[in-house]
């Protein structure tokens, strides 16, 4: 139904087109709430590892800046500037991918060294994205499909951790599990009982219901929402960057891993949300936005920003791909960066409530990966690439088997030992290069 000429709620299922603002905001807000806590947590970990130690006030400035930068980066992804940006409904945020490496840099060299490494690493990935025509053939669809599947698998533990209460002392407590379960049930019931486009708001409704229950259970400190004043402009260059060769090399390596995740996220979004294969220019723009936005993030004193797999899962589940709708969410994030009470409200969302909403979303990424593998075809070559890369990637990065990396150099351990996506990406790409193209023909002849 049109509310005015050219405006329709049905446009939420179209990449372009306008949606009535009153209808668009809830969908955009749903995307921001789904990633808000996860966007802030990596900063706390990296900054917390810094030597000399940083004060809570300094970390608060970084958290505020991160919200602002994530909103700007999301706008660039949605509405590209030149060749920077994919033009797809990708939500950007600070990624856990960088936590291990940058946490080590922060502890060994200090936080300014993190900023210097991110500045250079961002320029490295952004330029790599613009030059994808020279190396993009190294990543055919079967490699992207394997990476997407690995991303889905890697998020299962993230969802479970959130469901149990996150990294808190009461992880797995009865109140946390009740919050997660109630939130999940509300999401499922809303998805079953709601009609039309309202079905796609199940995550937002679940978050609201879980938040209200969390208040009654004493899991939300409402007094913190009004702390920090009402207006605060982002602080430009809160730290002068320092450049250390070891930190920069480590950052560039992990930016390559992040690039693999971005390729997987972008491919999964096209497959799960748009029902088509990704285009080379979209991957190029997405990588360029990842890299150059990370450089902007460093200027504001924050770690790198990248595409958020959580939101790719939300798109795959709801099929809401409208850029204008997601843009309203990006504007909410920018607003949260300018108005501390808004940011404090978003960040007060209990982890277990978030886990109740996201645990099913993460499964949709895995199924998108399986669908992509199916579209590539179950040839002997494709099965070999997927099966070997996933079995080694998952097996070698499991917590119980992590000591298998103990003889590897420290940099290799920090990049690969706990990162299934990195291992799957490297292995699938190498297998694609070394396996003969005519494996089926040779097996028949033999």
């Amino acid at each position: 139904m049109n509310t005015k000429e050219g405006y329709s709620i049905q446009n939420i299922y179209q990449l372009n087109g306008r949606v009535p603002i009153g209808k668009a905001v809830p969908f955009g807000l749903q995307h921001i709430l789904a990633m808000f806590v996860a966007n802030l947590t990596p900063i706390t970990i990296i900054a917390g590892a810094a030597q000399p130690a940083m004060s809570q006030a300094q970390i608060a400035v970084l958290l505020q800046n991160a919200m602002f930068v994530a909103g700007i980066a999301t706008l660039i992804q949605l509405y590209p500037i030149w060749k920077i940006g994919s033009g797809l409904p990708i939500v950007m945020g600070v990624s856990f991918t960088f936590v291990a490496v940058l946490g080590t840099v922060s502890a060994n060299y200090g936080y300014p060294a993190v900023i210097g490494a991110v500045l250079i690493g961002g320029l490295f990935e952004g330029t790599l994205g613009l030059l994808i025509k020279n190396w993009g053939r190294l990543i055919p669809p079967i490699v992207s499909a394997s990476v997407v599947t690995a991303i889905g698998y890697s998020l299962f533990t993230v969802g479970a951790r959130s469901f149990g209460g996150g990294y808190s002392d009461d992880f797995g407590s009865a109140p946390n599990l009740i919050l997660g379960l109630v939130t999940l049930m509300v999401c499922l019931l809303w998805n079953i009982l709601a009609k039309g486009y309202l079905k796609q708001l199940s995550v937002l409704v679940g978050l609201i219901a879980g938040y209200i229950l969390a208040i009654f259970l004493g899991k939300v400190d409402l007094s913190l929402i009004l702390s920090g004043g009402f207006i605060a402009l982002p602080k430009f260059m809160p730290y002068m960057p320092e450049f250390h060769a070891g930190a920069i090399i480590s950052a560039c390596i992990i930016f390559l891993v992040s690039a693999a995740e971005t390729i997987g996220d972008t491919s999964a979004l096209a497959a799960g949300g748009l029902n088509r294969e990704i285009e080379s220019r979209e991957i190029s723009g997405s990588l360029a936005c990842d890299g150059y936005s990370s450089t902007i993030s460093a200027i504001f004193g924050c770690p790198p920003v990248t595409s958020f797999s959580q939101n790719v899962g939300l798109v795959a589940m709801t099929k809401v791909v409208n850029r204008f709708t997601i843009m309203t969410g990006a504007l909410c994030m920018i607003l949260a960066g300018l108005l501390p009470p808004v940011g404090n409200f978003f960040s007060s969302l209990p982890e277990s409530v978030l886990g109740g909403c996201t645990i099913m979303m993460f499964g949709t990424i895995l199924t998108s990966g399986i669908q992509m593998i199916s579209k590539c075809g179950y040839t002997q070559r494709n099965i070999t690439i997927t099966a070997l890369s996933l079995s080694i990637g998952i097996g070698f990065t499991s917590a119980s088997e992590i000591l298998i990396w103990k003889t590897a150099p420290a940099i290799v351990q920090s990049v690969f030992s706990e990162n299934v996506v990195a291992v799957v990406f490297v292995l699938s790409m190498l297998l694609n290069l070394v396996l003969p193209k005519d494996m089926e023909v040779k097996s028949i002849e033999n």
Side-chain angles (χ1 to χ4, degrees), residues 71-373:
I72 297 297
T74 301
L75 289 180
I76 296 173
Q77 277 285 24
L78 294 169
Y79 299 100
I81 299 174
W82 185 52
K83 296 181 179 181
I84 303 173
S86 64
L88 298 175
I90 294 173
V91 175
M92 304 286 286
V94 180
S95 171
F96 273 95
T97 301
F98 297 88
V99 166
V101 169
L102 294 184
T104 302
V105 170
S106 185
N108 292 339
Y109 299 103
Y111 196 77
V114 171
I115 303 307
V118 174
L119 271 170
I120 302 301
L123 293 174
F124 170 67
E125 185 191 5
T127 305
L128 198 65
L130 294 180
L131 299 175
I132 196 171
K133 287 184 178 179
N134 300 319
W135 60 274
R137 64 184 181 278
L138 298 176
I139 309 175
I142 190 60
V143 173
S144 296
S146 300
V147 170
V148 171
T149 306
I151 290 173
Y153 173 83
S154 69
L155 287 172
F156 286 172
T157 53
V158 176
R161 171 59 63 174
S162 292
F163 197 95
Y167 293 93
S168 60
D169 294 335
D170 64 342
F171 175 78
S173 66
N176 285 336
L177 296 179
I178 290 171
L179 278 176
L181 184 60
V182 169
T183 303
L184 176 59
M185 293 304 298
V186 170
C187 289
L188 290 175
L189 288 173
W190 184 269
N191 201 32
I192 293 169
L193 300 176
K195 304 296 182 182
Y197 74 90
L198 291 175
K199 279 183 177 290
Q200 316 314 334
L201 286 173
S202 60
V203 171
L204 179 60
V205 174
L207 287 169
I208 293 173
Y211 191 88
I212 293 173
L213 178 59
I215 292 175
F216 284 104
L217 292 178
K219 303 291 288 186
V220 178
D221 187 354
L222 296 175
S223 65
L224 295 177
I225 295 176
L226 296 178
S227 63
F230 286 92
I231 299 177
L233 296 177
K235 190 172 182 181
F236 185 77
M237 291 291 285
Y239 298 94
M240 291 302 296
E242 295 179 3
F243 301 97
H244 299 268
I248 292 170
I249 292 171
S250 298
C252 286
I253 291 173
I254 205 66
F255 264 104
L256 286 175
V257 176
S258 176
E261 293 183 352
T262 296
I263 292 170
D265 285 341
T266 311
S267 301
L269 191 143
L274 301 173
N275 299 314
R276 64 170 173 81
E277 290 187 6
I278 195 69
E279 298 177 10
S280 177
R281 63 175 179 81
E282 291 169 333
I283 291 180
S284 175
S286 186
L287 290 173
C289 182
D290 258 29
Y292 295 134
S293 294
S294 293
T295 296
I296 295 173
S297 183
I299 292 173
F300 282 91
C302 298
V305 291
T306 186
S307 59
F308 247 61
S309 299
Q310 288 94 320
N311 297 84
V312 174
L314 184 56
V315 168
M317 188 172 77
T318 65
K319 306 299 180 183
V320 175
V321 296
N322 183 257
R323 291 194 298 168
F324 175 78
T325 297
I326 309 302
M327 180 198 70
T328 64
L331 294 178
C332 287
M333 193 140 50
I334 292 173
L335 193 64
L338 298 175
L339 303 176
V342 177
N344 293 340
F345 172 76
F346 285 157
S347 61
S348 67
L349 184 71
E351 279 275 2
S352 49
V353 174
L354 186 66
C357 290
T358 57
I359 199 163
M360 186 170 65
M361 280 165 30
F362 296 158
T364 62
I365 299 179
L366 182 71
T367 54
S368 293
I370 294 172
Q371 290 172 337
M372 291 170 67
I373 293 171

